[in-house]
CSV table of all heavy atoms in Angstrom, one decimal:
chain,number,residue,atom,x,y,z
A,745,GLY,N,4.7,37.2,-6.8
A,745,GLY,CA,3.3,37.7,-7.2
A,745,GLY,C,2.7,38.5,-6.0
A,745,GLY,O,1.5,38.3,-5.7
A,804,THR,N,-9.6,31.7,3.6
A,804,THR,CA,-8.2,31.9,3.9
A,804,THR,C,-7.5,32.2,2.6
A,804,THR,O,-6.8,31.3,2.1
A,804,THR,CB,-7.6,30.8,4.7
A,804,THR,OG1,-8.5,30.5,5.8
A,804,THR,CG2,-6.2,31.1,5.2
A,805,GLY,N,-7.7,33.4,2.0
A,805,GLY,CA,-7.1,33.8,0.7
A,805,GLY,C,-8.0,33.5,-0.4
A,805,GLY,O,-8.9,32.6,-0.2
A,806,GLY,N,-7.9,34.2,-1.5
A,806,GLY,CA,-8.7,33.9,-2.7
A,806,GLY,C,-8.5,32.5,-3.1
A,806,GLY,O,-9.4,31.9,-3.7
A,807,LYS,N,-7.3,32.0,-2.9
A,807,LYS,CA,-7.0,30.6,-3.3
A,807,LYS,C,-8.0,29.6,-2.7
A,807,LYS,O,-8.5,28.7,-3.4
A,807,LYS,CB,-5.6,30.3,-2.9
A,807,LYS,CG,-5.0,29.1,-3.6
A,807,LYS,CD,-3.5,28.9,-3.2
A,807,LYS,CE,-2.6,28.7,-4.3
A,807,LYS,NZ,-1.2,28.8,-4.0
A,808,GLN,N,-8.3,29.8,-1.5
A,808,GLN,CA,-9.2,28.8,-0.8
A,808,GLN,C,-10.6,29.0,-1.2
A,808,GLN,O,-11.4,28.0,-1.3
A,808,GLN,CB,-9.1,28.9,0.7
A,808,GLN,CG,-9.6,27.6,1.4
A,808,GLN,CD,-9.9,27.8,2.8
A,808,GLN,OE1,-10.0,28.8,3.4
A,808,GLN,NE2,-10.1,26.6,3.5
A,810,ILE,N,-11.5,29.5,-4.3
A,810,ILE,CA,-11.6,28.7,-5.6
A,810,ILE,C,-11.6,27.3,-5.3
A,810,ILE,O,-12.4,26.5,-5.8
A,810,ILE,CB,-10.4,29.1,-6.5
A,810,ILE,CG1,-10.4,30.6,-6.8
A,810,ILE,CG2,-10.5,28.3,-7.8
A,810,ILE,CD1,-9.1,31.1,-7.5
A,831,TRP,N,-3.3,31.3,-14.3
A,831,TRP,CA,-2.6,31.2,-13.0
A,831,TRP,C,-2.3,29.8,-12.7
A,831,TRP,O,-3.2,28.9,-12.8
A,831,TRP,CB,-3.5,31.8,-11.9
A,831,TRP,CG,-2.9,31.9,-10.6
A,831,TRP,CD1,-1.6,32.2,-10.3
A,831,TRP,CD2,-3.6,31.6,-9.3
A,831,TRP,NE1,-1.4,32.1,-8.9
A,831,TRP,CE2,-2.6,31.7,-8.3
A,831,TRP,CE3,-4.9,31.2,-9.0
A,831,TRP,CZ2,-2.9,31.5,-7.0
A,831,TRP,CZ3,-5.2,31.0,-7.7
A,831,TRP,CH2,-4.2,31.2,-6.7
A,834,TYR,N,-4.8,27.1,-11.0
A,834,TYR,CA,-6.2,26.6,-11.4
A,834,TYR,C,-6.2,25.1,-11.8
A,834,TYR,O,-7.0,24.3,-11.3
A,834,TYR,CB,-6.7,27.4,-12.6
A,834,TYR,CG,-6.9,28.8,-12.3
A,834,TYR,CD1,-6.7,29.8,-13.4
A,834,TYR,CD2,-7.5,29.4,-11.2
A,834,TYR,CE1,-6.9,31.2,-13.2
A,834,TYR,CE2,-7.7,30.7,-11.0
A,834,TYR,CZ,-7.4,31.6,-12.0
A,834,TYR,OH,-7.6,32.9,-11.8
A,877,ASN,N,-10.3,35.1,-15.5
A,877,ASN,CA,-9.4,35.9,-14.6
A,877,ASN,C,-8.9,37.2,-15.4
A,877,ASN,O,-8.2,37.1,-16.3
A,877,ASN,CB,-8.2,35.0,-14.3
A,877,ASN,CG,-7.1,35.8,-13.5
A,877,ASN,OD1,-5.9,35.5,-13.7
A,877,ASN,ND2,-7.5,36.6,-12.6
A,879,PRO,N,-8.1,41.4,-14.4
A,879,PRO,CA,-6.9,41.3,-15.1
A,879,PRO,C,-6.2,40.0,-14.8
A,879,PRO,O,-6.4,39.5,-13.7
A,879,PRO,CB,-6.1,42.5,-14.6
A,879,PRO,CG,-7.0,43.5,-14.1
A,879,PRO,CD,-8.2,42.7,-13.6
A,881,ASN,N,-3.3,37.1,-14.2
A,881,ASN,CA,-2.0,36.6,-13.8
A,881,ASN,C,-1.9,35.4,-14.7
A,881,ASN,O,-2.7,34.4,-14.5
A,881,ASN,CB,-2.0,36.2,-12.3
A,881,ASN,CG,-0.6,35.6,-11.9
A,881,ASN,OD1,0.3,35.5,-12.7
A,881,ASN,ND2,-0.6,35.2,-10.7
A,910,ASP,N,-12.4,35.3,-11.4
A,910,ASP,CA,-11.3,35.6,-10.4
A,910,ASP,C,-11.0,37.1,-10.6
A,910,ASP,O,-10.2,37.4,-11.5
A,910,ASP,CB,-10.1,34.7,-10.6
A,910,ASP,CG,-9.0,35.0,-9.6
A,910,ASP,OD1,-8.9,36.1,-9.1
A,910,ASP,OD2,-8.1,34.1,-9.5
A,912,MET,N,-9.3,39.2,-8.6
A,912,MET,CA,-8.4,39.5,-7.6
A,912,MET,C,-7.6,40.8,-8.0
A,912,MET,O,-7.2,41.6,-7.1
A,912,MET,CB,-7.4,38.3,-7.5
A,912,MET,CG,-6.4,38.4,-6.4
A,912,MET,SD,-7.2,38.7,-4.9
A,912,MET,CE,-7.4,37.0,-4.3
A,913,TYR,N,-7.4,41.1,-9.3
A,913,TYR,CA,-6.6,42.3,-9.6
A,913,TYR,C,-7.6,43.4,-10.1
A,913,TYR,O,-7.1,44.4,-10.8
A,913,TYR,CB,-5.6,41.9,-10.7
A,913,TYR,CG,-4.5,41.0,-10.2
A,913,TYR,CD1,-4.7,39.6,-10.4
A,913,TYR,CD2,-3.4,41.4,-9.7
A,913,TYR,CE1,-3.8,38.7,-9.9
A,913,TYR,CE2,-2.4,40.5,-9.3
A,913,TYR,CZ,-2.6,39.1,-9.4
A,913,TYR,OH,-1.6,38.3,-8.9
A,940,MET,N,-15.4,36.1,-7.5
A,940,MET,CA,-14.3,36.0,-6.4
A,940,MET,C,-13.4,37.2,-6.4
A,940,MET,O,-13.2,37.8,-7.5
A,940,MET,CB,-13.5,34.7,-6.7
A,940,MET,CG,-12.5,34.4,-5.8
A,940,MET,SD,-11.0,35.3,-6.2
A,940,MET,CE,-9.8,34.2,-6.1
A,944,SER,N,-5.7,40.6,-1.0
A,944,SER,CA,-4.3,40.4,-1.0
A,944,SER,C,-3.5,41.4,-1.9
A,944,SER,O,-2.5,41.9,-1.4
A,944,SER,CB,-4.0,39.0,-1.6
A,944,SER,OG,-4.6,38.0,-0.7
A,945,LYS,N,-4.0,41.6,-3.1
A,945,LYS,CA,-3.2,42.4,-4.1
A,945,LYS,C,-3.4,43.9,-3.9
A,945,LYS,O,-2.5,44.7,-3.8
A,945,LYS,CB,-3.4,41.9,-5.5
A,945,LYS,CG,-3.4,40.4,-5.7
A,945,LYS,CD,-2.1,39.8,-5.6
A,945,LYS,CE,-2.2,38.3,-5.7
A,945,LYS,NZ,-0.9,37.5,-5.9
A,950,THR,N,-1.2,40.3,1.3
A,950,THR,CA,-1.0,38.9,0.9
A,950,THR,C,-0.9,38.0,2.2
A,950,THR,O,-1.3,36.8,2.2
A,950,THR,CB,0.2,38.7,0.1
A,950,THR,OG1,1.3,39.5,0.6
A,950,THR,CG2,0.0,39.1,-1.3
A,953,ARG,N,-4.1,36.6,4.5
A,953,ARG,CA,-4.9,35.5,4.0
A,953,ARG,C,-6.4,35.7,4.0
A,953,ARG,O,-7.1,34.9,4.7
A,953,ARG,CB,-4.4,34.2,4.7
A,953,ARG,CG,-3.0,34.0,4.8
A,953,ARG,CD,-2.2,34.0,3.4
A,953,ARG,NE,-2.7,33.1,2.4
A,953,ARG,CZ,-3.2,33.5,1.2
A,953,ARG,NH1,-3.1,34.7,0.8
A,953,ARG,NH2,-3.6,32.6,0.4
A,954,ILE,N,-6.9,36.7,3.3
A,954,ILE,CA,-8.3,36.9,3.2
A,954,ILE,C,-8.7,37.0,1.8
A,954,ILE,O,-8.3,37.9,1.1
A,954,ILE,CB,-8.8,38.1,4.0
A,954,ILE,CG1,-8.5,38.0,5.5
A,954,ILE,CG2,-10.3,38.4,3.7
A,954,ILE,CD1,-9.4,37.0,6.2
A,955,GLY,N,-9.7,36.1,1.4
A,955,GLY,CA,-10.3,36.2,0.1
A,955,GLY,C,-11.8,36.1,0.3
A,955,GLY,O,-12.2,35.6,1.4
A,1031,TYR,N,2.0,42.2,-14.0
A,1031,TYR,CA,2.8,41.3,-14.8
A,1031,TYR,C,2.9,41.7,-16.2
A,1031,TYR,O,1.9,42.3,-16.7
A,1031,TYR,CB,2.3,39.9,-14.7
A,1031,TYR,CG,1.9,39.4,-13.3
A,1031,TYR,CD1,0.6,39.4,-12.9
A,1031,TYR,CD2,2.9,38.9,-12.5
A,1031,TYR,CE1,0.3,39.0,-11.6
A,1031,TYR,CE2,2.6,38.5,-11.2
A,1031,TYR,CZ,1.3,38.5,-10.8
A,1031,TYR,OH,1.0,38.1,-9.5
B,1097,PLP,C1,-5.1,35.3,-10.3
B,1097,PLP,C2,-4.9,35.1,-8.8
B,1097,PLP,N1,-6.0,34.5,-8.2
B,1097,PLP,C3,-5.9,34.3,-6.9
B,1097,PLP,C4,-4.7,34.4,-6.2
B,1097,PLP,C5,-4.7,34.0,-4.7
B,1097,PLP,O1,-4.8,35.0,-3.9
B,1097,PLP,P1,-4.6,34.9,-2.3
B,1097,PLP,O2,-3.2,35.2,-2.0
B,1097,PLP,O3,-5.6,35.8,-1.7
B,1097,PLP,O4,-4.9,33.4,-1.9
B,1097,PLP,C6,-3.6,34.9,-6.8
B,1097,PLP,C7,-2.3,35.1,-6.2
B,1097,PLP,O5,-1.3,35.0,-6.7
B,1097,PLP,C8,-3.7,35.2,-8.2
B,1097,PLP,O6,-2.7,35.7,-8.9
Side-chain angles (χ1 to χ4, degrees):
T804 305
K807 196 175 226 170
Q808 201 196 13
I810 304 171
W831 180 41
Y834 299 142
N877 172 217
N881 175 5
D910 177 343
M912 188 55 90
Y913 295 90
M940 180 276 225
S944 296
K945 313 284 175 170
T950 44
R953 310 305 305 126
I954 296 290
Y1031 311 102

